[in-house]
Amino acid sequence: MRRVEYLDSVRGLAAFSVMIYHFIGWRWGETLGYKLGSMVFNGSDAVSLFFVLSGLVLSWKYFHPDESVKIDGAHFRQYVLNRVVRLYVPFLAALGLYYLYNHRADDLGLLVRQFVTNETHWVEEALLIRGKHDLYLPAWTLEVEMVVSLLVPFLALLLRNSRVMFVSLLLVILATGAFSWAVLHFGLGMLLTYYFRNIEQYDIKKARWYPYRYGIYLLIFALYSIRHITRIYPLGDIQNYWLGLFRLDLFHFTGLAAGAILALVINQPLLQRWLTIRPLLFLGRISYSLYLLHWLFVIFVMDRWDYLASLIGGERRVYWVLLAFVVVGTLIASTIFNILVERPAIRLGKKVADRFAPKPAYQKAV
């Protein structure tokens, strides 16, 4: 299966923006500087980008090169086993680190008793259910990712058979608010996969909208940043009424913007060349580990901010020194975690899937 490397870099940049966003948002979340800066390091809406990108990548094998993967019960079992192990093993390892950090003041006996008896309800958090994410707050996105990604084979089967039915389903979900809003994001990503060749070959210079491209790009940026724009200029009662009436969340708008951003990247070879430089490819390779571990470094610094500030001195100096610590520390830890945990989990997922489910059958292209 062809690997589109520049999309890995997009995921890496999104994960990096989440790290910066969480750092600056901890203490300066109500400042104008933070709200403006978040339009660049938009970690809150990188979630939309993650989900659209997941829909694209996970559905790739169902449409390229020749829709040869047979989607049946055997394939679904293999897909689920591979997916669950791939996501869960690194998550559980990271959650163990957060558990130890949050209970670092407990003596060993108390720590063991609380763990065994589940007094802190860590089991619920480990299972990624019921929205309980006390140890690792950003895990809510993994809960959504895990659940919705399991629908991809079904959605791919529908899209293969009827584009009209597929789009109609997405519109019904949008209109009724049924299921998770992330289904729409995954669906957008799958449409990008379905039309990938067309998007690649599309000549935007011949398009009627080309003379207005900068205005369109600005609109996409505004949609992607709408959450932070509304923090500066809050929506009024009328706008909130209509959004509520149609059950629209700002994530719906950022999802559309994320889809447009990815379509632009797919279409532009110059952007792809920039995205395939080694540092960005490396960032993409460790992106999941980075996402799992960055929170540990952020909370470590924020828990000790006043003490560290007294040692470093100077408000501006403290900011940049501790930001550098979070960035460098996270990158180093994520690299180690990727080698020791994430990569073995990927291999384990494939091995478990092959062991407990037949390999997927392939059908010749018609």
Side-chain angles (χ1 to χ4, degrees):
M1 184 179 74
R2 172 189 172 191
R3 187 174 185 87
V4 187
E5 289 188 323
Y6 59 81
L7 294 179
D8 291 337
S9 297
V10 173
R11 183 184 289 106
L13 288 170
F16 189 86
S17 73
V18 171
M19 173 177 59
I20 303 299
Y21 173 81
H22 282 153
F23 177 88
I24 61 177
W26 194 289
R27 295 177 63 90
W28 303 278
E30 299 304 318
T31 64
L32 179 61
Y34 163 75
K35 294 170 184 176
L36 293 173
S38 293
M39 295 182 190
V40 178
F41 295 104
N42 192 347
S44 62
D45 299 302
V47 171
S48 289
L49 194 58
F50 285 141
F51 292 155
V52 176
L53 192 54
S54 288
L56 192 165
V57 173
L58 291 175
S59 65
W60 182 270
K61 60 179 172 290
Y62 300 121
F63 301 102
H64 301 286
D66 55 9
E67 301 187 15
S68 58
V69 176
K70 183 179 180 182
I71 305 174
D72 56 11
H75 168 76
F76 184 66
R77 286 194 299 273
Q78 186 180 66
Y79 174 87
V80 169
L81 288 169
N82 194 359
R83 188 70 182 155
V84 169
V85 174
R86 162 74 175 90
L87 290 178
Y88 248 118
V89 171
F91 166 68
L92 291 176
L95 190 64
L97 295 176
Y98 287 104
Y99 186 89
L100 292 174
Y101 176 79
N102 279 270
H103 296 274
R104 61 192 180 278
D106 297 342
D107 62 65
L108 183 59
L110 178 61
L111 187 66
V112 171
R113 192 189 78 238
Q114 288 178 335
F115 183 83
V116 172
T117 60
N118 192 35
E119 289 182 27
T120 57
H121 303 285
W122 67 270
V123 171
E124 291 89 326
E125 188 156 357
L127 292 176
L128 288 174
I129 59 173
R130 303 295 184 184
K132 186 182 186 305
H133 308 296
D134 298 329
L135 298 173
Y136 174 47
L137 188 61
W140 72 268
T141 61
L142 300 181
E143 179 180 337
V144 175
E145 173 80 23
M146 177 69 75
V147 173
V148 181
S149 67
L150 299 184
L151 298 176
V152 168
F154 300 103
L155 294 173
L157 192 59
L158 180 61
L159 181 54
R160 274 184 180 179
N161 285 277
S162 173
R163 286 170 294 176
V164 173
M165 290 181 65
F166 180 84
V167 173
S168 297
L169 175 63
L170 296 185
L171 291 176
V172 168
I173 293 173
L174 177 62
T176 63
F179 305 109
S180 169
W181 50 262
V183 175
L184 297 172
H185 292 62
F186 275 73
L188 285 173
M190 295 178 71
L191 287 173
L192 290 175
T193 301
Y194 189 88
Y195 291 105
F196 194 91
R197 303 301 180 206
N198 303 77
I199 297 171
E200 268 191 325
Q201 298 166 10
Y202 181 69
D203 189 351
I204 64 173
K205 292 183 179 179
K206 294 181 179 179
R208 292 183 178 179
W209 55 266
Y210 185 72
Y212 314 103
R213 62 193 182 280
Y214 294 116
I216 293 172
Y217 297 158
L218 183 62
L219 175 61
I220 292 171
F221 177 78
L223 281 177
Y224 191 67
S225 304
I226 191 169
R227 187 180 314 281
H228 305 291
I229 293 174
T230 57
R231 287 173 178 171
I232 300 173
Y233 302 104
L235 296 175
D237 293 337
I238 295 177
Q239 293 90 340
N240 284 320
Y241 169 79
W242 285 105
L243 288 175
L245 182 65
F246 290 102
R247 299 186 181 183
L248 292 176
D249 186 278
L250 294 183
F251 273 124
H252 290 114
F253 298 100
T254 59
L256 289 172
I261 290 170
L262 288 173
L264 183 63
V265 171
I266 293 168
N267 179 259
Q268 295 295 309
L270 179 60
L271 285 175
Q272 295 165 18
R273 285 195 292 272
W274 278 104
L275 288 169
T276 50
I277 62 176
R278 288 187 177 182
L280 292 185
L281 290 176
F282 170 76
L283 193 63
R285 190 161 56 249
I286 66 169
S287 58
Y288 185 41
S289 297
L290 190 157
Y291 189 78
L292 288 173
L293 295 186
H294 79 278
W295 189 250
L296 183 63
F297 286 85
V298 171
I299 60 176
F300 175 85
V301 164
M302 295 305 167
D303 285 346
R304 296 162 176 78
W305 184 274
D306 293 335
Y307 171 71
L308 294 172
S310 67
L311 296 178
I312 298 169
E315 185 177 346
R316 187 179 297 273
R317 186 189 307 165
V318 171
Y319 176 89
W320 289 110
V321 169
L322 294 184
L323 175 59
F325 170 80
V326 168
V327 171
V328 174
T330 301
L331 290 175
I332 293 173
S334 299
T335 302
I336 297 171
F337 192 85
N338 174 262
I339 295 171
L340 298 181
V341 180
E342 186 179 356
R343 292 187 199 176
I346 294 173
R347 294 192 293 269
L348 178 63
K350 293 177 180 178
K351 185 180 296 186
V352 170
D354 291 341
R355 170 67 177 83
F356 293 99
K359 291 186 178 180
Y362 287 79
Q363 54 193 16
K364 292 183 180 179
V366 178

